[in-house]
Amino acid sequence: MLISHIFHIFHIFQNILSGKWKITILWYISEYEIQRFGELRRRLGDITQSTLTKQLRELEQDGFISRYVYQEVPPKVEYSLTDLGKNFVPILQDMKKWSDIHLM
């Protein structure tokens, strides 16, 4: 039963963060606190507008980021971490440390 529960938890976790860009998006938002769509797209480089939009929407639906739209022309949209996203930052930092040691 315990193994089944652990598998279930990891399966949910994997589904939430399965997008190719999600970890990197969360990293940039955590580093810069607030990111606009264009800033994220420039930082990520090789991502299409539609993919970035999809990844951001999924992260917002899963409660990791919040989206604030300014009522102006052209529209200005900013993304920041929610409390859930902020609680994930130590995991991102540990992943970065591990990567620095084992992947560099």
Side-chain angles (χ1 to χ4, degrees):
M1 178 150 162
L2 179 60
I3 292 175
S4 175
H5 176 70
I6 292 170
F7 174 79
H8 179 70
I9 295 297
F10 278 118
H11 183 71
I12 293 169
F13 183 73
Q14 184 177 7
N15 283 340
I16 290 171
L17 296 175
S18 64
K20 175 180 177 180
W21 300 96
K22 287 181 180 179
I23 298 292
T24 310
I25 290 168
L26 288 171
W27 178 261
Y28 279 126
I29 295 174
S30 74
E31 284 295 297
Y32 295 95
E33 295 184 20
I34 295 173
Q35 284 287 278
R36 292 179 60 189
F37 185 90
E39 292 172 325
L40 279 169
R41 188 156 182 220
R42 279 189 295 280
R43 291 186 199 288
L44 295 167
D46 213 17
I47 192 169
T48 65
Q49 182 172 336
S50 62
T51 299
L52 179 54
T53 299
K54 182 178 185 286
Q55 301 279 281
L56 287 167
R57 283 185 184 151
E58 290 174 3
L59 286 167
E60 184 181 13
Q61 288 171 352
D62 291 329
F64 281 82
I65 63 173
S66 62
R67 178 178 185 259
Y68 184 79
V69 180
Y70 291 88
Q71 299 302 316
E72 57 186 52
V73 177
K76 176 180 166 183
V77 179
E78 291 182 339
Y79 296 91
S80 59
L81 295 178
T82 61
D83 287 340
L84 178 65
K86 290 175 185 172
N87 283 322
F88 189 68
V89 170
I91 296 168
L92 287 172
Q93 292 168 336
D94 285 344
M95 290 170 70
K96 167 104 174 47
K97 288 177 194 170
W98 185 90
S99 298
D100 288 344
I101 293 167
H102 299 285
L103 301 178
M104 293 297 184

